[in-house]
Amino acid sequence: MSFDLVLFGGTGDLVWRKLMPALFQAFRHGTLPRDGRIIGVARDGLSDEQYRRLIEDRFARVELDKRPGPDEFGRFAQMLHYQRLDLSRPEDYGALKERLQQRHADTVVMYLATSPALFTTVCEQLAAAGLNTPATRIVLEKPLGHDLASNRAINDTVRHAFAEQQIFRIDHYLGKPSVQNLFALRFGNALFEPLWRRETIANIQVTIAEDLGVEKRGAFYDSTGALRDMVQNHALQLVCALAMEPPISSDADAIRDEKLKVLRSLRPWTGESIGQQAVRGQYGTGTVRGEPVRAYRQEAGVAPDSTTETFVALRTEIANWRWAGVPFFIRTGKRLAARDAHIVINFRPAPHAIYRAPLGAANRLVINLQPRDGLELHLLAQGQQQGRPLQAQPLVPVHLNLDFDQRFGSQRVGAYERLLLDVIDGRLNLFVRSDEQEAAWRWVEPLLDAWAGNEAGLRAYAAGSWGPSAASAMIARDGFCWSEEQ
Ligand code: BG6
């Protein structure tokens, strides 16, 4: 199968940080079809050779084991090409078309690794130049819009030019091996399904913590915030994977139909719940990995009086028969104590106690997403207390621990590598449908409106901590605590 992969934003951050390393890994693993061209597209006047050198230089910043040796790069570089293109100039799209028509590849992928503000222009220009052929697939990076209306406007323009099955909306969390394992745990094993419901589960916690700050993306982040950057997409997709009904098949739409139902069942926000069940914070100065770090408002590109949230904690419920009344807690933030993404499923305690158990002890399933990918099942076991009556024998917590990185280490495929290959092969399972996105925007929008430009309720937290204490107070109102407090 032959393909042309056109990377709009071809000299940008995303291309050299994520896409090129992922494409190179696929090349190295032998999974990238060899009959392919990767065409970087940007405004600078570069030759193919200059573009290859630029990419080669950038590889010097990639982790050592993911960096090509000179020979390897030479072979990979033969796939790399460059096309100068000003996104708003119709004649430049004509030149791109000529280049693509040199060989009529079976599949043409247009990857929009540009600012989302340009998606509409690019799609209109592609359609005007006749570059929206049936062989074309279009890949859109998040965030798609900054609210429901702008998301709809972008989707309308894209759908005007491309059919839904040609549109690949990326949420790279869906490509992570750990998220694949979450699906496998639920839908490839029968063990947990009878327990996966309100009768047995007390609460579910989703944490995506980052120790990094906003890095070089201060200006972008300041107009985005954690709710748009992480919750509307990554965190809600995790909630979908946790709460959805088993799909009738592994078809893309069978999976997406079930995720959509979850998003539509999220309990809508009211003025009262926004006040009590949503916490936002912004990091101040602090210490991360032993180094002092500056406050968010001192970061380059960030307004000195910014009210943008860098931390969000939410409590929600899913209004359906399986989940009614079970709190789902979501928490994400920058400059937290560690890079740590995990899900905790807290089961209800045994209904009748004949043992003495530590206070609050119950079974718990921890799904570790990163930095390690694995499962921990927390059980209670009998210690060494012999010769005492049952009720005097204390139970102790023990863990069954499965480390998928250790088990499958060398066979693992990174998120972007997997997703890029899926696009080239035309598999939509791990991409987000427009109605899912709309439902997610609809749900977060009351929070966005309540928080916009409003400093009241924005809590400061020290960089390197687990966020504002209000997040602990929020979860404590239900009688629970976050995993690191347990
Ligand atoms: C991106 C966000 O979508 O996800 C970033 O825009 C965030 O702000 C990143 O850092 C986190 O991804 P990962 O794969 O490092 O958890």
Side-chain angles (χ1 to χ4, degrees), residues 292-310:
V293 296
R294 58 165 80 107
Y296 175 70
R297 288 180 182 178
Q298 295 157 359
E299 301 275 16
V302 171
D305 57 353
S306 170
T307 58
T308 300
E309 77 286 353
T310 59

Side-chain angles (χ1 to χ4, degrees), residues 142 172-173 176 210 217 229-230 234 334 339 370:
K142 66 159 266 282
H172 78 278
Y173 266 58
K176 285 182 186 274
E210 296 184 85
R217 299 155 78 222
D229 191 43
M230 297 297 286
H234 305 323
K334 299 265 184 212
R339 176 170 188 255
Q370 55 194 35

Side-chain angles (χ1 to χ4, degrees), residues 199-456:
E199 289 80 4
T200 23
I201 293 181
N203 70 86
I204 294 188
Q205 304 177 14
V206 175
T207 295
I208 311 176
E210 296 184 85
D211 54 0
L212 291 179
V214 291
E215 306 295 289
K216 298 202 170 92
R217 299 155 78 222
F220 161 79
Y221 194 89
D222 210 31
S223 61
T224 305
L227 190 62
R228 288 187 178 92
D229 191 43
M230 297 297 286
V231 177
Q232 186 273 340
N233 32 73
H234 305 323
L236 286 186
Q237 285 293 328
L238 293 180
V239 169
C240 286
L242 284 164
M244 67 195 268
E245 292 301 315
I248 54 165
S249 73
S250 59
D251 285 354
D253 278 332
I255 295 170
R256 301 188 305 178
D257 288 346
E258 296 305 337
K259 287 196 287 162
L260 178 63
K261 284 189 212 158
V262 173
L263 293 166
R264 287 189 174 155
S265 315
L266 289 168
R267 183 188 265 187
W269 293 100
T270 61
E272 196 187 344
S273 61
I274 291 177
Q276 298 196 349
Q277 297 172 3
V279 173
R280 66 188 161 127
Q282 190 186 72
Y283 62 82
T285 52
T287 307
V288 173
R289 295 190 193 181
E291 296 289 326
V293 296
R294 58 165 80 107
Y296 175 70
R297 288 180 182 178
Q298 295 157 359
E299 301 275 16
V302 171
D305 57 353
S306 170
T307 58
T308 300
E309 77 286 353
T310 59
F311 173 94
V312 175
L314 305 175
R315 176 200 189 279
T316 188
E317 286 181 23
I318 295 171
N320 63 19
W321 275 49
R322 187 189 282 266
W323 294 116
V326 178
F328 280 69
F329 298 100
I330 299 172
R331 175 176 60 153
T332 184
K334 299 265 184 212
R335 284 286 189 235
L336 295 181
R339 176 170 188 255
D340 179 1
H342 63 264
I343 294 162
V344 180
I345 295 157
N346 283 311
F347 292 93
R348 294 185 190 280
H352 172 65
I354 61 165
Y355 288 103
R356 196 151 60 78
L359 194 66
N363 299 131
R364 178 179 308 145
L365 178 67
V366 180
I367 303 169
N368 288 316
L369 304 174
Q370 55 194 35
R372 309 247 2 130
D373 172 11
L375 284 181
E376 289 167 33
L377 185 59
H378 295 206
L379 303 169
L380 293 163
Q382 182 109 61
Q384 295 301 316
Q385 310 284 326
Q386 302 302 331
R388 290 207 205 168
L390 268 190
Q391 62 276 30
Q393 298 189 6
L395 296 182
V396 289
V398 288
H399 302 173
L400 286 173
N401 209 336
L402 246 182
D403 185 327
F404 291 134
D405 287 314
Q406 206 171 37
R407 173 69 181 77
F408 302 117
S410 58
Q411 302 155 31
R412 314 229 88 184
V413 170
Y416 272 98
E417 180 180 349
R418 178 178 183 127
L419 294 174
L420 280 159
L421 291 172
D422 279 355
V423 179
I424 293 170
D425 288 345
R427 282 187 296 269
L428 273 162
N429 304 42
L430 300 178
F431 295 84
V432 183
R433 212 167 53 190
S434 62
D435 46 8
E436 286 180 76
Q437 276 188 336
E438 286 190 13
W441 277 117
R442 193 173 296 111
W443 186 70
V444 297
E445 207 162 56
L447 291 170
L448 292 173
D449 292 345
W451 291 352
N454 174 4
E455 188 152 9

Side-chain angles (χ1 to χ4, degrees), residues 463-475:
S465 70
W466 279 102
S469 56
S472 301
M474 179 189 82
I475 196 169

